[in-house]
Coordinates of all heavy atoms in Angstrom, one line a residue:
M641 N 0.8 -1.2 0.0 CA 0.0 0.0 0.0 C 0.9 1.3 0.0 O 0.7 2.2 -0.8 CB -0.9 0.0 1.3 CG -1.9 1.1 1.3 SD -3.1 1.0 0.0 CE -4.1 2.4 0.3
L642 N 1.9 1.3 0.9 CA 2.8 2.4 0.9 C 3.5 2.7 -0.4 O 3.7 3.8 -0.8 CB 3.8 2.2 2.0 CG 4.6 3.4 2.5 CD1 3.6 4.4 3.1 CD2 5.6 3.0 3.6
R643 N 3.8 1.6 -1.1 CA 4.4 1.7 -2.4 C 3.6 2.6 -3.4 O 4.1 3.2 -4.3 CB 4.7 0.4 -3.0 CG 5.9 -0.4 -2.4 CD 6.3 -1.5 -3.3 NE 5.1 -2.4 -3.6 CZ 4.8 -3.5 -2.9 NH1 5.5 -3.8 -1.9 NH2 3.8 -4.2 -3.3
M644 N 2.3 2.6 -3.2 CA 1.4 3.3 -4.1 C 1.3 4.8 -3.8 O 0.8 5.5 -4.6 CB 0.0 2.7 -4.0 CG -0.1 1.3 -4.5 SD -1.6 0.5 -4.2 CE -2.7 1.4 -5.2
L645 N 1.8 5.2 -2.7 CA 1.8 6.7 -2.4 C 2.7 7.4 -3.2 O 3.8 7.0 -3.5 CB 2.1 6.9 -0.9 CG 1.1 6.4 0.2 CD1 1.7 6.5 1.5 CD2 -0.2 7.2 0.1
K646 N 2.3 8.6 -3.6 CA 3.3 9.5 -4.3 C 4.3 10.0 -3.3 O 4.0 10.1 -2.1 CB 2.5 10.7 -4.9 CG 1.6 10.4 -6.1 CD 0.9 11.6 -6.6 CE -0.2 12.0 -5.7 NZ -0.9 13.2 -6.2
P647 N 5.5 10.3 -3.8 CA 6.6 10.7 -2.8 C 6.2 11.8 -2.0 O 6.5 11.9 -0.8 CB 7.8 11.0 -3.8 CG 7.5 10.3 -5.0 CD 6.0 10.1 -5.1
N648 N 5.5 12.9 -2.5 CA 5.2 14.0 -1.7 C 4.1 13.7 -0.7 O 3.8 14.5 0.3 CB 4.8 15.2 -2.6 CG 3.5 15.1 -3.3 OD1 3.0 14.0 -3.3 ND2 3.0 16.1 -3.9
A649 N 3.4 12.6 -0.8 CA 2.3 12.2 0.1 C 3.0 11.9 1.5 O 2.4 12.0 2.5 CB 1.5 11.0 -0.4
I650 N 4.2 11.3 1.4 CA 4.9 11.0 2.7 C 5.1 12.2 3.6 O 5.0 12.1 4.8 CB 6.2 10.3 2.4 CG1 6.1 9.2 1.4 CG2 6.9 9.9 3.6 CD1 5.4 8.0 1.9
T651 N 5.3 13.4 2.9 CA 5.6 14.6 3.7 C 4.4 15.2 4.3 O 4.5 16.2 5.0 CB 6.3 15.6 2.8 OG1 5.4 16.0 1.8 CG2 7.6 15.1 2.2
L652 N 3.2 14.6 4.1 CA 2.0 15.1 4.7 C 2.1 15.0 6.2 O 1.4 15.7 6.9 CB 0.8 14.4 4.2 CG 0.4 14.6 2.7 CD1 -0.9 13.7 2.5 CD2 0.2 16.0 2.4
H653 N 2.8 14.0 6.6 CA 2.7 13.6 8.0 C 3.7 14.4 8.9 O 4.8 13.9 9.0 CB 2.7 12.1 8.2 CG 1.7 11.4 7.4 ND1 0.4 11.4 7.9 CD2 1.7 10.8 6.2 CE1 -0.3 10.7 6.9 NE2 0.4 10.4 5.9
K654 N 3.3 15.5 9.3 CA 4.2 16.3 10.1 C 3.8 16.2 11.6 O 2.7 15.9 12.0 CB 4.0 17.8 9.7 CG 4.6 18.1 8.4 CD 4.4 19.6 8.0 CE 5.1 19.9 6.7 NZ 6.6 19.9 6.8
T655 N 4.8 16.4 12.5 CA 4.5 16.3 13.9 C 3.7 17.5 14.3 O 3.7 18.6 13.6 CB 5.8 16.3 14.7 OG1 6.5 17.5 14.5 CG2 6.7 15.1 14.3
R656 N 3.1 17.4 15.5 CA 2.4 18.6 16.1 C 3.2 19.8 16.2 O 2.8 20.9 15.8 CB 1.8 18.2 17.4 CG 0.7 19.1 17.9 CD 0.2 18.7 19.3 NE -0.9 19.5 19.7 CZ -0.8 20.7 20.2 NH1 0.4 21.3 20.3 NH2 -1.9 21.4 20.6
P657 N 4.5 19.7 16.7 CA 5.3 21.0 16.8 C 5.6 21.5 15.4 O 5.6 22.8 15.2 CB 6.6 20.5 17.4 CG 6.2 19.3 18.2 CD 5.1 18.7 17.5
Q658 N 5.8 20.7 14.4 CA 6.0 21.2 13.0 C 4.8 21.9 12.5 O 4.9 22.9 11.8 CB 6.4 20.0 12.1 CG 7.8 19.5 12.3 CD 8.0 18.2 11.5 OE1 7.2 17.4 11.3 NE2 9.3 18.1 11.0
V659 N 3.6 21.3 12.8 CA 2.4 22.0 12.3 C 2.2 23.3 13.0 O 1.9 24.4 12.4 CB 1.1 21.1 12.5 CG1 -0.2 21.9 12.3 CG2 1.2 19.9 11.6
G660 N 2.6 23.4 14.3 CA 2.5 24.7 15.1 C 3.5 25.7 14.5 O 3.1 26.9 14.3
Q661 N 4.6 25.2 14.1 CA 5.6 26.2 13.4 C 5.1 26.7 12.1 O 5.3 27.9 11.8 CB 6.9 25.5 13.2 CG 7.7 25.3 14.5 CD 9.0 24.4 14.3 OE1 9.2 23.8 13.2 NE2 9.7 24.2 15.3
E662 N 4.4 25.8 11.4 CA 3.9 26.3 10.1 C 2.8 27.3 10.3 O 2.7 28.3 9.6 CB 3.4 25.1 9.3 CG 4.5 24.1 8.9 CD 4.4 23.7 7.4 OE1 3.4 23.9 6.8 OE2 5.3 23.0 7.0
I663 N 1.9 27.1 11.3 CA 0.9 28.0 11.6 C 1.5 29.4 12.0 O 1.0 30.5 11.5 CB -0.1 27.5 12.7 CG1 -0.9 26.4 12.1 CG2 -1.0 28.6 13.2 CD1 -1.7 25.6 13.1
Q664 N 2.5 29.4 12.8 CA 3.2 30.6 13.1 C 3.8 31.3 11.9 O 3.9 32.5 11.9 CB 4.4 30.3 14.1 CG 3.9 29.7 15.4 CD 4.1 30.7 16.6 OE1 5.2 31.4 16.6 NE2 3.2 30.8 17.4
A665 N 4.2 30.5 10.9 CA 4.9 31.1 9.8 C 3.9 31.6 8.7 O 4.3 32.3 7.8 CB 5.8 30.1 9.1
C666 N 2.6 31.2 8.9 CA 1.6 31.6 7.9 C 1.4 33.1 7.9 O 1.3 33.7 8.9 CB 0.3 30.9 8.3 SG -1.1 31.4 7.2
I667 N 1.4 33.7 6.7 CA 1.3 35.1 6.5 C -0.2 35.5 6.2 O -0.5 36.7 6.0 CB 2.2 35.7 5.5 CG1 1.9 35.1 4.1 CG2 3.7 35.5 5.8 CD1 2.7 35.7 2.9
G668 N -1.1 34.5 6.2 CA -2.5 34.8 6.1 C -2.9 35.3 4.7 O -3.9 36.0 4.6
C669 N -2.2 34.9 3.7 CA -2.5 35.5 2.3 C -3.7 34.9 1.7 O -4.2 35.4 0.7 CB -1.3 35.2 1.4 SG -1.0 33.5 1.1
N670 N -4.2 33.7 2.2 CA -5.4 33.0 1.7 C -5.2 32.3 0.4 O -6.1 31.7 -0.2 CB -6.5 34.0 1.5 CG -7.9 33.4 1.6 OD1 -8.1 32.6 2.5 ND2 -8.8 33.7 0.7
E671 N -4.0 32.2 -0.2 CA -3.8 31.5 -1.5 C -4.1 30.1 -1.4 O -4.6 29.5 -2.3 CB -2.3 31.7 -1.9 CG -1.9 33.1 -2.3 CD -2.6 33.6 -3.5 OE1 -3.0 32.8 -4.4 OE2 -2.9 34.8 -3.5
C672 N -3.9 29.4 -0.2 CA -4.2 28.0 -0.1 C -5.7 27.8 -0.3 O -6.1 26.8 -0.9 CB -3.7 27.4 1.2 SG -4.1 28.4 2.7
L673 N -6.5 28.6 0.4 CA -8.0 28.4 0.3 C -8.5 28.8 -1.1 O -9.5 28.2 -1.6 CB -8.7 29.2 1.4 CG -8.4 28.8 2.8 CD1 -9.4 29.5 3.8 CD2 -8.7 27.2 2.9
L674 N -7.9 29.7 -1.7 CA -8.3 30.1 -3.1 C -8.1 28.9 -4.0 O -8.8 28.7 -5.0 CB -7.6 31.3 -3.6 CG -8.0 32.6 -3.0 CD1 -7.0 33.8 -3.5 CD2 -9.4 33.0 -3.3
A675 N -7.1 28.1 -3.8 CA -6.7 27.0 -4.6 C -7.5 25.7 -4.3 O -7.5 24.7 -5.0 CB -5.2 26.7 -4.6
C676 N -8.2 25.7 -3.1 CA -8.8 24.5 -2.6 C -10.1 24.2 -3.3 O -11.0 25.0 -3.2 CB -9.0 24.6 -1.1 SG -9.9 23.3 -0.4
P677 N -10.3 23.0 -3.8 CA -11.5 22.6 -4.4 C -12.6 22.2 -3.4 O -13.8 22.0 -3.8 CB -11.2 21.4 -5.3 CG -10.0 20.8 -4.6 CD -9.3 21.9 -4.0
A678 N -12.3 22.2 -2.2 CA -13.2 21.7 -1.2 C -13.9 22.8 -0.4 O -14.8 22.5 0.5 CB -12.5 20.7 -0.2
V679 N -13.5 24.0 -0.6 CA -14.1 25.1 0.1 C -15.6 25.4 -0.4 O -15.8 25.6 -1.6 CB -13.3 26.5 0.0 CG1 -14.0 27.6 0.6 CG2 -11.9 26.3 0.5
A680 N -16.5 25.2 0.5 CA -17.9 25.4 0.1 C -18.7 26.5 0.7 O -19.8 26.8 0.4 CB -18.7 24.1 0.4
E681 N -18.0 27.2 1.7 CA -18.6 28.3 2.4 C -17.5 29.2 2.9 O -16.3 28.8 3.0 CB -19.5 27.8 3.6 CG -18.7 27.1 4.6 CD -19.6 26.5 5.7 OE1 -20.4 27.2 6.3 OE2 -19.4 25.3 6.0
P682 N -17.8 30.5 3.2 CA -16.8 31.4 3.6 C -16.1 30.9 4.9 O -16.7 30.5 5.8 CB -17.5 32.7 3.9 CG -18.8 32.6 3.1 CD -19.1 31.1 3.1
I683 N -14.8 30.9 4.8 CA -14.0 30.5 6.0 C -12.7 31.3 5.9 O -12.2 31.6 4.9 CB -13.7 29.0 5.9 CG1 -13.3 28.4 7.2 CG2 -12.6 28.6 4.8 CD1 -13.5 26.9 7.2
T684 N -12.2 31.7 7.1 CA -11.0 32.5 7.1 C -9.8 31.7 7.6 O -9.8 30.8 8.3 CB -11.2 33.7 8.0 OG1 -11.2 33.3 9.4 CG2 -12.4 34.5 7.6
I685 N -8.6 32.2 7.1 CA -7.3 31.6 7.5 C -7.2 31.8 9.0 O -6.7 30.8 9.7 CB -6.2 32.3 6.8 CG1 -6.2 31.9 5.3 CG2 -4.8 31.9 7.4 CD1 -5.9 30.4 5.1
D686 N -7.6 32.9 9.6 CA -7.5 33.1 11.0 C -8.2 32.0 11.8 O -7.7 31.5 12.8 CB -8.1 34.5 11.4 CG -7.1 35.6 11.2 OD1 -5.9 35.3 10.9 OD2 -7.5 36.8 11.3
M687 N -9.5 31.7 11.3 CA -10.2 30.7 12.0 C -9.5 29.3 11.9 O -9.4 28.6 12.9 CB -11.6 30.5 11.3 CG -12.6 31.6 11.5 SD -13.9 31.5 10.3 CE -14.8 30.1 11.0
L688 N -9.1 29.0 10.7 CA -8.4 27.7 10.5 C -7.2 27.6 11.3 O -7.0 26.6 12.0 CB -8.0 27.6 9.0 CG -8.9 26.9 8.1 CD1 -8.2 26.8 6.7 CD2 -9.4 25.6 8.6
N689 N -6.3 28.7 11.3 CA -5.1 28.6 12.1 C -5.3 28.5 13.6 O -4.7 27.7 14.3 CB -4.2 29.8 11.7 CG -3.6 29.7 10.4 OD1 -3.6 28.7 9.7 ND2 -3.0 30.8 9.9
R690 N -6.3 29.3 14.0 CA -6.6 29.3 15.5 C -7.1 27.9 15.9 O -6.8 27.5 17.0 CB -7.6 30.4 15.8 CG -7.8 30.7 17.2 CD -8.7 31.9 17.5 NE -10.0 31.8 16.8 CZ -10.4 32.6 15.8 NH1 -9.6 33.6 15.4 NH2 -11.6 32.5 15.2
E691 N -7.9 27.3 15.1 CA -8.6 26.1 15.5 C -7.8 24.8 15.2 O -8.3 23.7 15.5 CB -10.0 26.0 14.9 CG -10.9 27.2 15.4 CD -12.3 27.2 14.8 OE1 -12.7 26.2 14.3 OE2 -12.9 28.3 14.8
T692 N -6.7 24.9 14.5 CA -6.0 23.7 14.1 C -5.4 22.9 15.2 O -5.5 21.7 15.2 CB -4.9 24.1 13.0 OG1 -5.5 24.6 11.9 CG2 -4.1 22.9 12.6
L693 N -4.9 23.6 16.2 CA -4.2 22.9 17.3 C -4.9 22.9 18.6 O -4.7 22.0 19.5 CB -2.8 23.4 17.4 CG -1.8 23.0 16.2 CD1 -0.4 23.6 16.5 CD2 -1.8 21.5 16.0
T694 N -5.6 24.0 18.9 CA -6.2 24.1 20.3 C -7.6 24.7 20.2 O -8.0 25.3 19.2 CB -5.4 25.0 21.2 OG1 -5.2 26.3 20.6 CG2 -4.0 24.4 21.5
G695 N -8.3 24.6 21.3 CA -9.6 25.3 21.4 C -10.7 24.6 20.7 O -10.5 23.6 20.0
P696 N -12.0 25.1 20.8 CA -13.1 24.5 20.2 C -13.0 24.6 18.7 O -12.4 25.6 18.1 CB -14.3 25.3 20.7 CG -13.8 26.5 21.4 CD -12.3 26.3 21.6
I697 N -13.7 23.7 18.0 CA -13.7 23.7 16.5 C -15.1 24.2 16.1 O -16.1 23.5 16.4 CB -13.4 22.3 15.9 CG1 -12.0 21.9 16.3 CG2 -13.5 22.4 14.4 CD1 -11.6 20.4 16.0
S698 N -15.2 25.3 15.4 CA -16.4 25.8 15.0 C -17.1 25.0 13.9 O -16.4 24.2 13.2 CB -16.3 27.3 14.4 OG -15.4 27.2 13.3
E699 N -18.4 25.1 13.7 CA -19.1 24.3 12.7 C -18.5 24.5 11.3 O -18.3 23.5 10.5 CB -20.6 24.6 12.7 CG -21.3 23.7 13.7 CD -21.0 22.2 13.6 OE1 -21.2 21.7 12.5 OE2 -20.6 21.6 14.6
P700 N -18.3 25.8 10.8 CA -17.8 25.9 9.4 C -16.4 25.2 9.3 O -16.1 24.6 8.3 CB -17.6 27.4 9.3 CG -18.6 28.0 10.2 CD -18.6 27.1 11.4
V701 N -15.5 25.3 10.3 CA -14.2 24.7 10.2 C -14.4 23.2 10.3 O -13.7 22.5 9.5 CB -13.3 25.2 11.3 CG1 -12.0 24.4 11.4 CG2 -12.9 26.7 11.0
A702 N -15.3 22.7 11.1 CA -15.5 21.2 11.1 C -16.0 20.7 9.8 O -15.5 19.7 9.3 CB -16.5 20.9 12.2
R703 N -16.9 21.5 9.1 CA -17.4 21.0 7.8 C -16.3 21.0 6.8 O -16.2 20.1 6.0 CB -18.6 21.9 7.3 CG -19.9 21.6 8.0 CD -21.0 22.3 7.3 NE -21.1 23.7 7.6 CZ -21.6 24.3 8.6 NH1 -22.3 23.6 9.5 NH2 -21.6 25.6 8.7
F704 N -15.5 22.1 6.8 CA -14.4 22.1 5.9 C -13.4 21.0 6.1 O -12.8 20.4 5.2 CB -13.7 23.5 5.9 CG -12.5 23.6 5.0 CD1 -12.6 23.3 3.7 CD2 -11.3 24.1 5.5 CE1 -11.5 23.4 2.8 CE2 -10.2 24.2 4.7 CZ -10.3 23.9 3.4
T705 N -13.1 20.7 7.4 CA -12.2 19.7 7.7 C -12.7 18.3 7.2 O -11.9 17.6 6.7 CB -12.0 19.6 9.3 OG1 -11.6 20.9 9.7 CG2 -11.0 18.6 9.7
R706 N -13.9 18.1 7.3 CA -14.5 16.8 6.8 C -14.4 16.8 5.3 O -14.2 15.7 4.7 CB -15.9 16.6 7.2 CG -16.1 16.3 8.7 CD -17.6 16.0 9.0 NE -17.8 16.2 10.5 CZ -18.4 17.2 11.0 NH1 -18.9 18.2 10.2 NH2 -18.6 17.3 12.3
A707 N -14.6 18.0 4.7 CA -14.6 18.0 3.2 C -13.2 17.9 2.6 O -13.0 17.5 1.5 CB -15.2 19.3 2.8
C708 N -12.1 18.3 3.4 CA -10.8 18.2 2.8 C -10.4 16.7 2.5 O -10.6 15.8 3.4 CB -9.8 18.7 3.9 SG -8.1 18.3 3.5
Y709 N -10.1 16.5 1.3 CA -9.7 15.1 0.9 C -8.2 15.0 0.6 O -7.8 14.0 -0.2 CB -10.6 14.6 -0.3 CG -10.6 15.5 -1.5 CD1 -9.9 15.2 -2.6 CD2 -11.4 16.6 -1.6 CE1 -9.9 15.9 -3.8 CE2 -11.5 17.4 -2.7 CZ -10.7 17.1 -3.8 OH -10.7 17.8 -5.0
Q710 N -7.4 15.8 1.2 CA -6.0 15.7 1.1 C -5.4 15.6 -0.3 O -4.5 14.9 -0.6 CB -5.6 14.5 1.9 CG -5.8 14.6 3.5 CD -4.8 15.6 4.1 OE1 -3.7 15.3 4.1 NE2 -5.4 16.7 4.6
C711 N -6.0 16.5 -1.2 CA -5.5 16.4 -2.6 C -4.2 17.1 -2.7 O -3.5 16.9 -3.7 CB -6.6 17.1 -3.5 SG -6.8 18.9 -3.2
G712 N -3.9 18.1 -1.8 CA -2.6 18.7 -1.9 C -2.5 20.0 -2.8 O -1.5 20.6 -3.0
A713 N -3.7 20.4 -3.4 CA -3.7 21.5 -4.3 C -3.4 22.8 -3.5 O -3.1 23.8 -4.2 CB -5.1 21.6 -4.9
C714 N -3.5 22.8 -2.2 CA -3.2 24.0 -1.5 C -1.7 24.3 -1.2 O -1.3 25.3 -0.7 CB -3.9 23.9 -0.1 SG -3.6 22.4 0.7
V715 N -0.9 23.3 -1.5 CA 0.6 23.4 -1.1 C 1.4 24.3 -2.1 O 2.0 25.2 -1.7 CB 1.2 22.0 -1.0 CG1 2.7 22.1 -0.7 CG2 0.5 21.2 0.0
A716 N 1.3 24.0 -3.4 CA 2.1 24.8 -4.4 C 1.8 26.3 -4.4 O 2.8 27.0 -4.5 CB 1.9 24.2 -5.8
P717 N 0.6 26.7 -4.2 CA 0.4 28.2 -4.2 C 0.9 29.0 -3.0 O 1.0 30.2 -3.0 CB -1.1 28.4 -4.3 CG -1.7 27.0 -4.6 CD -0.7 26.0 -4.1
C718 N 1.3 28.3 -1.9 CA 1.7 29.0 -0.7 C 3.1 29.7 -1.0 O 4.1 29.0 -1.3 CB 1.9 28.0 0.4 SG 2.4 28.9 2.0
P719 N 3.1 31.0 -0.8 CA 4.3 31.8 -1.1 C 5.4 31.5 -0.1 O 6.6 31.9 -0.4 CB 3.9 33.2 -1.1 CG 2.6 33.2 -0.2 CD 2.0 31.9 -0.4
V720 N 5.1 30.9 1.0 CA 6.2 30.7 2.0 C 6.4 29.2 2.3 O 7.0 28.8 3.3 CB 5.9 31.5 3.3 CG1 6.2 32.9 3.1 CG2 4.5 31.2 3.8
G721 N 5.9 28.4 1.3 CA 6.2 27.0 1.4 C 5.6 26.2 2.5 O 6.2 25.2 3.0
L722 N 4.4 26.5 2.9 CA 3.8 25.8 4.0 C 2.9 24.7 3.4 O 2.6 24.6 2.2 CB 2.9 26.8 4.9 CG 3.8 27.9 5.4 CD1 2.9 28.9 6.3 CD2 5.0 27.4 6.2
H723 N 2.4 23.8 4.3 CA 1.6 22.6 4.0 C 0.2 22.7 4.6 O 0.0 22.1 5.7 CB 2.4 21.4 4.3 CG 3.6 21.2 3.6 ND1 4.8 21.9 3.9 CD2 3.9 20.5 2.5 CE1 5.8 21.5 3.1 NE2 5.3 20.7 2.2
R724 N -0.7 23.4 4.0 CA -2.0 23.4 4.5 C -2.7 22.0 4.6 O -3.5 21.8 5.5 CB -2.9 24.4 3.6 CG -4.4 24.5 4.1 CD -4.5 25.1 5.5 NE -3.9 26.4 5.6 CZ -3.8 27.1 6.7 NH1 -4.3 26.6 7.9 NH2 -3.2 28.3 6.8
D725 N -2.3 21.2 3.7 CA -2.8 19.8 3.7 C -2.4 19.1 5.1 O -3.2 18.4 5.7 CB -2.4 19.0 2.5 CG -0.9 19.0 2.3 OD1 -0.1 19.7 3.0 OD2 -0.4 18.2 1.5
A726 N -1.2 19.3 5.5 CA -0.8 18.7 6.8 C -1.5 19.4 8.0 O -1.9 18.7 8.9 CB 0.7 18.9 7.0
M727 N -1.7 20.7 7.9 CA -2.5 21.3 8.9 C -3.9 20.8 9.0 O -4.4 20.5 10.1 CB -2.6 22.8 8.7 CG -1.2 23.6 8.6 SD -1.4 25.3 8.3 CE 0.1 25.7 7.5
M728 N -4.5 20.5 7.8 CA -5.8 20.0 7.8 C -5.9 18.6 8.3 O -6.9 18.1 8.9 CB -6.4 20.0 6.3 CG -6.6 21.4 5.8 SD -7.6 22.5 6.9 CE -9.2 21.6 6.9
L729 N -4.8 17.8 8.1 CA -4.8 16.5 8.7 C -4.8 16.5 10.2 O -5.5 15.7 10.8 CB -3.5 15.8 8.2 CG -3.5 14.3 8.3 CD1 -4.6 13.6 7.5 CD2 -2.1 13.7 7.7
W730 N -4.1 17.5 10.8 CA -4.2 17.6 12.2 C -5.6 18.1 12.7 O -6.1 17.6 13.7 CB -3.2 18.7 12.7 CG -1.9 17.9 13.0 CD1 -0.8 17.8 12.1 CD2 -1.5 17.2 14.2 NE1 0.1 17.0 12.7 CE2 -0.3 16.6 14.0 CE3 -2.2 17.0 15.4 CZ2 0.3 15.8 14.9 CZ3 -1.6 16.2 16.3 CH2 -0.3 15.6 16.1
L731 N -6.3 18.9 11.9 CA -7.6 19.3 12.2 C -8.5 18.0 12.2 O -9.4 17.9 13.0 CB -8.1 20.3 11.3 CG -8.2 21.7 11.8 CD1 -8.5 22.8 10.8 CD2 -9.2 21.8 13.0
K732 N -8.3 17.2 11.2 CA -9.1 15.9 11.1 C -8.9 15.1 12.4 O -9.8 14.5 12.9 CB -8.7 15.1 9.9 CG -9.2 15.7 8.6 CD -8.8 14.8 7.4 CE -9.3 15.3 6.1 NZ -10.8 15.1 5.9
V733 N -7.6 15.0 12.8 CA -7.3 14.2 14.0 C -8.0 14.9 15.2 O -8.7 14.2 16.0 CB -5.8 14.2 14.3 CG1 -5.5 13.6 15.6 CG2 -5.1 13.4 13.2
R734 N -8.0 16.2 15.3 CA -8.6 16.9 16.5 C -10.1 16.7 16.4 O -10.8 16.5 17.5 CB -8.3 18.4 16.4 CG -6.9 18.8 16.8 CD -6.9 20.2 17.2 NE -7.6 20.5 18.4 CZ -8.4 21.5 18.7 NH1 -8.5 22.5 17.8 NH2 -9.0 21.6 19.8
L735 N -10.7 16.7 15.2 CA -12.1 16.6 15.1 C -12.6 15.2 15.5 O -13.5 15.0 16.3 CB -12.5 16.9 13.6 CG -14.0 17.1 13.3 CD1 -14.5 18.3 14.1 CD2 -14.2 17.3 11.8
L736 N -11.8 14.2 15.1 CA -12.1 12.8 15.5 C -12.0 12.6 17.0 O -12.8 12.0 17.6 CB -11.2 11.8 14.8 CG -11.6 11.5 13.3 CD1 -10.5 10.7 12.7 CD2 -12.9 10.8 13.2
S737 N -11.0 13.2 17.6 CA -10.7 13.1 19.0 C -11.9 13.8 19.8 O -12.4 13.2 20.8 CB -9.4 13.8 19.4 OG -8.4 13.3 18.7
S738 N -12.3 15.0 19.3 CA -13.4 15.7 20.0 C -14.7 14.9 19.9 O -15.5 14.9 20.8 CB -13.6 17.1 19.5 OG -14.0 17.0 18.1
M739 N -14.9 14.2 18.8 CA -16.1 13.4 18.7 C -16.1 12.2 19.6 O -17.1 11.7 20.1 CB -16.3 12.9 17.2 CG -16.7 14.0 16.3 SD -16.6 13.6 14.5 CE -17.8 12.3 14.4
E740 N -14.9 11.6 19.8 CA -14.8 10.5 20.7 C -15.1 10.8 22.1 O -15.6 10.0 22.9 CB -13.4 9.9 20.6 CG -13.2 9.0 19.4 CD -11.8 8.5 19.2 OE1 -11.0 8.8 20.1 OE2 -11.5 8.0 18.1
E741 N -14.8 12.1 22.5 CA -15.0 12.6 23.8 C -16.5 12.8 24.1 O -16.9 13.0 25.3 CB -14.2 13.9 24.1 CG -12.7 13.6 24.2 CD -11.9 14.9 24.1 OE1 -12.5 16.0 24.2 OE2 -10.7 14.8 24.0
M742 N -17.3 12.9 23.1 CA -18.7 13.3 23.3 C -19.5 12.1 23.8 O -19.2 11.0 23.7 CB -19.4 13.8 22.0 CG -18.8 15.1 21.5 SD -19.3 15.5 19.8 CE -20.9 16.3 20.2
Ligands
LIG999 S1 -5.6 19.1 0.8 FE1 -7.5 19.7 1.7 S2 -7.3 21.9 2.1 FE2 -5.7 21.3 0.7 S3 -6.5 21.8 -1.4 FE3 -7.0 19.7 -1.0 S4 -9.0 19.6 -0.1 FE4 -8.2 21.7 0.1
LIG1000 S1 -1.0 30.1 1.3 FE1 0.5 29.7 3.0 S2 0.9 31.6 3.9 FE2 -0.9 31.9 2.7 S3 -2.6 31.6 4.1 FE3 -2.2 29.6 3.1 S4 -0.7 28.5 4.5 FE4 -0.8 30.7 5.1

């Protein structure tokens, strides 16, 4: 199964501190969301960044998190080389964890 992954798919899996560093480095330009085919309602980078690692997850961010299918289209447009797909993966993990706690 691993043999079938594209090489850049391996880099999706960043540690929590790495994702935190990426969020700190984000300049909020919105290019990743403009390139994303899964955005179905207004959502801001501020909301996404704030909710990726801590605090409650709002309904719009939860819906977007479920809709993200890890296509990676958000990575190339980022002017500072960040990985929104990896950030979204962490949001997926947080969302699943919060559902288990309910
Ligand atoms: S990986 Fe997720 S957030 Fe990035 S472009 Fe694809 S669907 Fe959108
Ligand atoms: S494209 Fe990069 S810098 Fe711009 S908002 Fe997205 S993650 Fe942040």
Side-chain angles (χ1 to χ4, degrees):
M641 184 68 181
L642 197 58
R643 283 195 308 267
M644 295 171 66
L645 290 173
K646 288 183 285 184
N648 67 351
I650 306 290
T651 63
L652 293 181
H653 303 283
K654 291 182 175 284
T655 65
R656 189 181 189 285
Q658 285 172 326
V659 171
Q661 284 171 356
E662 295 226 350
I663 289 172
Q664 294 249 320
C666 174
I667 60 174
C669 68
N670 205 44
E671 292 296 328
C672 50
L673 291 188
L674 287 174
C676 175
V679 174
E681 61 188 309
I683 200 161
T684 68
I685 289 293
D686 277 353
M687 291 165 70
L688 266 186
N689 285 350
R690 190 173 53 245
E691 298 177 22
T692 295
L693 292 180
T694 57
I697 300 173
S698 60
E699 273 307 308
V701 169
R703 282 192 288 273
F704 177 51
T705 301
R706 288 187 201 100
C708 169
Y709 56 99
Q710 292 288 295
C711 67
C714 49
V715 176
C718 179
V720 286
L722 306 180
H723 295 80
R724 180 61 60 186
D725 53 352
M727 301 180 207
M728 293 309 297
L729 199 56
W730 271 95
L731 256 172
K732 284 179 178 290
V733 170
R734 286 201 68 219
L735 196 59
L736 282 172
S737 303
S738 65
M739 287 167 66
E740 280 172 9
E741 287 167 10
M742 292 171 87

